[in-house]
Amino acid sequence: MSNLASSAALAQASPSSAPSGHAIELVGVNKWYGEFHVLKDINLKVHRGERIVICGPSGSGKSTMIRCINRLEEHQQGTIIVDGIELTNDLKRIDEIRREVGMCFQHFNLFPHLTILENLTLAPIWVRKMPKKEADELAMHFLTKVKIPEQAHKYPGQLSGGQQQRVAIARALCMKPKILLFDEPTSALDPEMVKEVLETMVSLAEEGMTMLCVTHEMGFARQVANRVIFMDAGQIIEMNEPEPFFSNPQHERTRLFLSQILGH
Amino acid sequence: MNLSSFIDVFHAWPSLLNGLVMTVMLTLVSSFLGVVLGTLCAWGSLKGPKAVRWFIRGYVEFFRNTPFLGQIFFIFFGLPALGLRLDPVTAALVALTINLTAYACEIIRAGIEATPAGQFEAASSLGLKPAQAFFLVIIPPAFQRVWPAMTSQLVIILLASALCSQISVAELSYEANMIASRTFRNFEAYIVVTLIYLGLAVLFREMLTWVGRRFVYGEFATGAQR
């Protein structure tokens, strides 16, 4: 496993749209917000079934990077291949990729005017064209999986933050994605609710879901990540398996960051 | 003037009733069309191609910053010069709808802009197409936010329909003019019609409040209060 990931050495993939063995490949990805260079030459390959935790200070580009994977943000340079499909401006490809990539957000982003059940069935019915009855059954299956089937007919505003985030995970699962992206899923939660969400994520990881998770929950990283990535100033500074990442970080900036978040 | 001087006006109740029916028809049809078109314009002004956005912006600016009387005169008296001749009722409906659409567009746009960006992102990440995301996810809460403002605007359109009398649409104000000129009971005719407008406006507002509770807010509103 390479410690230094910002080099192009990590980018062995050819930038083609041919099916590849990787779930996700980012090759030489660059992105700017106006003058601000937010992603700098990002190279990353994610194997199928791999769990990757991404950490770093705020503004380091970690959220932007995962949001590029399902095209919530557009990259300006480089190649992103998701499940063998190269991400371009082609709307069909973007739709195809979004069908395979689920996402959970920091603020859950449940639809407040729909019941929990309707939140879960909306995309299966409208995107997958699933009959309502089947979609309802699927939704109840995943609500049971995240341990809140009894909340099906409530509205998001009636649930706790932890419950809402579990609903958000179930909603993403209803599309049967191959890859799940998590953008700081526990950052907006009260401390006592973090555990229930992390437990749900751990159980997903155990089932072999490919996961990219932006989080500062280092306990979670140790427990389930195959690799941990540290980003700063738009670059991947360090990438390693959890044990060497935490016990022997190679970069000064990683050491400083870890000392700050593990120190309190 | 005494109570008996109102008798001439009350004798003309069939005309008043016809006028009332016309006013209600103008209001309901233009309200429905104006809200639907206003919603589409709000979408176009936010998500449409640049040319569409600019066109809608220009349209909204024009119709919100010119008098409704000028608009209705232009549509009825001006358009025939361009070869488009509309009968009074159609011209009135077109004028009311175009005017309301401009205001509704701005009201709904404000509701959409107050929607957190995360809602659209969540819908997109689930694979919903932009139009699906807009109508299934963005619009319902946006309507909930702006329904009180929309209610006021629709009541304004009800009252503005009085100006349609100026192109000889036989609505309530037109009938009042007719009764007044026929009976010379100006005070009585206009006070009666004004009170009918007052009653109509209050009734319409209550109806829209009910529509809001039944169709716009739904159970979500009661749910959120719990």
Side-chain angles (χ1 to χ4, degrees), chain A residues 27-32 37-42 68 74-80 234:
Chain A
V27 184
V29 171
N30 281 277
K31 175 172 177 63
W32 289 263
H37 198 170
V38 62
L39 292 180
K40 297 173 185 164
D41 196 28
I42 300 288
C68 282
E74 196 175 329
H75 64 288
Q76 279 104 30
Q77 263 179 22
T79 309
I80 298 177

Side-chain angles (χ1 to χ4, degrees), chain A residues 67 70 72-73 95 98-99 101-103 105 108-114 119 122-123 126-127 129 155 157-158 171-172 175, chain B residues 116-130 132 136-138 140-141 144-145 218-220 222-224 226:
Chain A
R67 286 160 62 87
N70 66 348
L72 290 183
E73 303 279 355
D95 282 347
R98 284 178 175 165
R99 275 200 290 269
V101 180
M103 187 163 194
F105 301 85
F108 333 129
N109 296 349
L110 296 179
F111 308 133
H113 59 295
L114 301 178
N119 263 275
L122 186 75
W126 288 89
V127 180
K129 309 293 177 203
Y155 285 84
Q158 297 170 275
R171 181 175 71 175
M175 286 298 284
Chain B
Q119 291 285 300
F120 199 81
E121 289 176 356
S124 301
S125 75
L126 286 166
L128 291 168
K129 295 193 185 304
Q132 292 174 327
L136 297 170
V137 172
I138 305 298
Q144 283 159 7
R145 247 171 246 126
E219 289 173 56
F220 157 62
T222 44
R226 263 177 233 155

Side-chain angles (χ1 to χ4, degrees), chain B residues 12-74:
Chain B
W13 70 266
S15 313
L16 287 176
L17 189 63
N18 286 340
L20 181 72
V21 169
M22 178 59 82
T23 292
V24 168
M25 189 281 286
L26 289 175
T27 304
L28 292 182
V29 173
S30 59
S31 292
F32 176 75
L33 292 177
V35 171
V36 170
L37 293 174
T39 308
L40 292 174
C41 282
W43 183 33
S45 71
L46 290 168
K47 301 282 177 193
K50 211 169 187 176
V52 172
R53 290 208 299 268
W54 278 105
F55 174 79
I56 293 172
R57 194 166 299 174
Y59 157 73
V60 168
E61 281 296 310
F62 183 84
F63 282 91
R64 282 183 5 128
N65 294 296
T66 51
F68 178 62
L69 194 62
Q71 295 164 17
I72 196 168
F73 278 175
F74 176 77

